[in-house]
Amino acid sequence: MKLILTPFVWVLNAFYSLTGSYGLALIFFAIVVKLILFPFQLKGKKSMIQMNLMSGQLQKLQKQYGKDKERYNQEVQKLYEREHVNPMGGCLWSFLPLFILIPLYSIIREPLVYMMNVGVDNLAAIAEALNWSQVALDNGWIKAADEAFRNTGYNQLYLSSLITPENLAAVQSAAGEGAKVFAINFDFLGIFDLARVPKLKFWTMTGGFALFLLPVISALSSILVSWVSQKTNAVNQQAQQADNASMKMMFIMMPLMSLWIGFSMPAALCLYWIIQNLLSIVQEFICGKMLKKDYEEAARIQAEREQQEKEEEKERKRQAAEERARRIEEAKSAKGKKKKELMSAMEKDSKGDSAVIAVSGVGMRSYARGRAYDPNRFSPDGPTAYQDPDLDWAEAKKNAPAEEPKKKGLFGRKKSAEAEQPVDKQEENPTEEPVKETEVSTAQDQNVETEAAEAEAPFAPEAEEGSEEEDSKE
């Protein structure tokens, strides 16, 4: 751990030697970190712009392969490889400041071990030389006067804050060989004691109100960073709409994180976080200016790509129309079996839209068909055949068990069965005009007379022959 933190310790000690102020050393340390991370942050913003420009193609893939998740993921991966875009590039670099914050927190929490190279075994001797038990009890760092020093929490930070030029010699002798003990000036602008932890109950500690303001300023600076980031990203209107949800989340999470850092960690770390936020605001303005030309170039390429796709689609339709016309002419000029084969092939190729509409019933409500309607999307045979729900209901009613007889009418007569049964013909053909009862009865009478005449027709000749014989006899 000490080997990993060595570069950070060296930079922080160098700035403290130049300035003589722990607060100024943290400010310069934050500036150096921001300068080192600036190229990575710029690269992350470029990746975010490229991802936002690809949102249209991702939506097309979602519509095309939305049901097949595995195929959709494969096509998305191919798209990323073709466009040379890393989907994690936009958010990965934004976590780098947190990786700097963690080692800095360790250095701030244990300055004797990391900044002054004091062994852990010598911390108890230093605490005894500084009268830790009594001073810590007066400041509320421990609860009992006879409690021994323990290297937990922020006790090492509190212990280092007790080192002054007057007791420095005693501490150096207690620290042992190899230690480079010096008195750290934790006072910043005569207002903040950077070795203390801010509290919500600021009235219970000396200088507590000034420390209470640090987390509040940190939260406000986080909100300002999010707002400036939205304004600078307004160069890309499409990106602003796509990142609307993420920006709202940042508006909520960043101030809460700043408050948590401010009220749970030393004021020195809170000061570093405030400086980081202020530098991030400056960085957003610089990135917005630098990436404006990049976005315009990417937008131009995107517009050219869309125009090319439209031209390709238009060319494909033109070629398909020419091929269809050629096959029609070929079928007209052909004869016999060849003509039948060509006609059947054309009919098979054109199967789909008109035939499927007739089967599925979509033609009954053509207004519901969108421009992306594909009848064979989920099945090569088209959708399931359309069935009239009224006919299904009539069939189910016929197969249902017999109901109990209904009550008599108002004048004691039962309702006729014919009146209770639904008229299937009228339901099947709602557009046809209903047949009047008089016409039905007339047609039935005519049918009865015809049937009677046909039944009597075989006996009519015999009756006529008998009458002629009687006349001859007479």
Side-chain angles (χ1 to χ4, degrees), residues 59 189 354:
Q59 290 176 3
L189 303 178
S354 59

Side-chain angles (χ1 to χ4, degrees), residues 140-383:
W141 300 335
I142 59 176
K143 297 181 179 179
D146 57 347
E147 185 176 345
F149 176 82
R150 293 183 297 175
N151 188 25
T152 58
Y154 301 118
N155 287 344
Q156 193 177 143
L157 178 63
Y158 299 148
L159 185 63
S160 62
S161 66
L162 300 177
I163 301 175
T164 60
E166 290 77 13
N167 56 23
L168 180 61
V171 174
Q172 288 176 346
S173 61
E177 297 181 359
K180 300 178 181 179
V181 181
F182 57 92
I184 301 178
N185 180 18
F186 287 103
D187 183 66
F188 183 67
L189 303 178
I191 303 174
F192 305 108
D193 186 359
L194 300 179
R196 299 296 184 93
V197 178
K199 294 182 179 180
L200 290 172
K201 298 180 180 180
F202 57 86
W203 56 88
T204 60
M205 60 185 299
T206 305
F209 181 73
L211 293 174
F212 175 81
L213 291 178
L214 274 179
V216 176
I217 296 172
S218 177
L220 293 176
S221 63
S222 298
I223 296 174
L224 187 60
V225 169
S226 301
W227 181 78
V228 171
S229 179
Q230 277 190 340
K231 294 300 181 182
T232 53
N233 288 337
V235 175
N236 185 355
Q237 298 294 335
Q238 186 178 0
Q240 187 181 18
Q241 295 175 3
D243 291 342
N244 194 19
S246 60
M247 294 304 294
K248 287 182 179 179
M249 184 62 65
M250 288 182 62
F251 256 116
I252 298 173
M253 293 301 298
M254 293 303 291
L256 293 178
M257 185 177 179
S258 299
L259 286 175
W260 176 73
I261 291 175
F263 284 109
S264 61
M265 298 183 183
L269 197 66
C270 187
L271 176 64
Y272 171 81
W273 191 254
I274 292 173
I275 300 303
Q276 277 287 325
N277 290 335
L278 296 178
L279 293 175
S280 297
I281 295 173
V282 178
Q283 176 184 276
E284 289 293 333
F285 280 112
I286 296 174
C287 289
K289 296 293 185 181
M290 295 179 65
L291 295 178
K292 186 175 181 180
K293 294 182 179 179
D294 294 337
Y295 165 70
E296 292 175 352
E297 179 66 18
R300 184 186 62 79
I301 295 174
Q302 180 69 11
E304 291 179 356
R305 182 184 302 163
E306 292 179 356
Q307 184 65 25
Q308 183 179 0
E309 290 177 356
K310 290 180 180 179
E311 294 294 334
E312 291 177 355
E313 181 67 17
K314 189 184 297 184
E315 180 65 19
R316 187 189 64 81
K317 290 182 178 180
R318 186 187 65 79
Q319 292 178 359
E322 290 179 355
E323 179 65 19
R324 194 180 303 112
R326 185 190 64 78
R327 296 178 68 178
I328 290 174
E329 293 295 331
E330 186 179 356
K332 288 181 179 179
S333 60
K335 296 181 180 180
K337 186 177 180 180
K338 187 177 180 181
K339 184 173 183 179
K340 290 182 179 180
E341 291 177 355
L342 291 173
M343 294 299 293
S344 61
M346 290 174 58
E347 184 178 357
K348 185 177 180 180
D349 293 341
S350 61
K351 180 184 176 182
D353 204 35
S354 59
V356 172
I357 289 171
V359 174
S360 64
V362 177
M364 297 167 56
R365 41 187 171 80
S366 57
Y367 58 86
R369 296 176 57 200
R371 301 175 69 180
Y373 173 74
D374 184 5
N376 295 317
R377 178 177 181 182
F378 301 105
S379 174
D381 300 329

Side-chain angles (χ1 to χ4, degrees), residues 26-94:
L26 287 173
I27 292 175
F28 285 113
F29 181 85
I31 294 173
V32 170
V33 169
K34 186 61 70 174
L35 290 175
I36 294 173
L37 297 181
F38 179 77
F40 304 102
Q41 298 287 344
L42 190 65
K43 184 177 180 180
K45 285 187 172 294
K46 288 182 179 180
S47 298
M48 289 179 65
I49 291 176
Q50 292 176 351
M51 284 292 297
N52 291 322
L53 292 176
M54 289 172 55
S55 60
Q57 301 180 51
L58 292 175
Q59 290 176 3
K60 291 180 181 178
L61 293 177
Q62 179 66 27
K63 292 179 180 179
Q64 189 173 1
Y65 305 106
K67 298 295 182 180
D68 190 351
K69 297 296 183 182
E70 185 177 357
R71 179 67 183 279
Y72 171 73
N73 293 330
Q74 293 176 358
E75 294 296 330
V76 169
Q77 188 65 29
K78 291 179 182 178
L79 178 62
Y80 288 151
E81 293 176 359
R82 187 168 61 251
E83 299 293 335
H84 304 287
V85 175
N86 183 8
M88 298 299 295
C91 58
L92 182 61
W93 303 113
S94 60

Side-chain angles (χ1 to χ4, degrees), residues 413-439:
R413 295 182 180 179
K414 294 183 178 180
K415 296 181 180 179
S416 63
E418 297 178 357
E420 294 177 0
Q421 295 180 356
V423 182
D424 295 341
K425 293 183 178 181
Q426 294 182 5
E427 292 181 350
E428 294 178 2
N429 303 317
T431 58
E432 295 180 4
E433 296 181 357
V435 183
K436 297 182 180 180
E437 294 181 2
T438 56
E439 296 178 357

Side-chain angles (χ1 to χ4, degrees), residues 393-411:
W393 170 250
E395 186 67 23
K397 193 170 183 180
K398 288 179 182 179
N399 298 331
E403 299 180 356
E404 298 180 359
K406 295 185 179 180
K407 296 181 180 181
K408 295 183 178 181
L410 182 62
F411 298 101

Side-chain angles (χ1 to χ4, degrees), residues 2 9 13 22 106-128 130 132 149-151 154-163 168 171-172 174-175 178-184 186:
K2 206 167 187 177
V9 172
N13 280 337
Y22 195 62
S106 300
I107 296 172
I108 292 174
R109 191 174 71 89
E110 301 180 82
L112 290 174
V113 172
Y114 294 114
M115 295 182 67
M116 304 179 191
N117 199 27
V118 176
V120 179
D121 298 334
N122 296 326
L123 293 177
I126 295 176
E128 186 177 355
L130 294 174
W132 164 261
F149 176 82
R150 293 183 297 175
N151 188 25
Y154 301 118
N155 287 344
Q156 193 177 143
L157 178 63
Y158 299 148
L159 185 63
S160 62
S161 66
L162 300 177
I163 301 175
L168 180 61
V171 174
Q172 288 176 346
K180 300 178 181 179
V181 181
F182 57 92
I184 301 178
F186 287 103

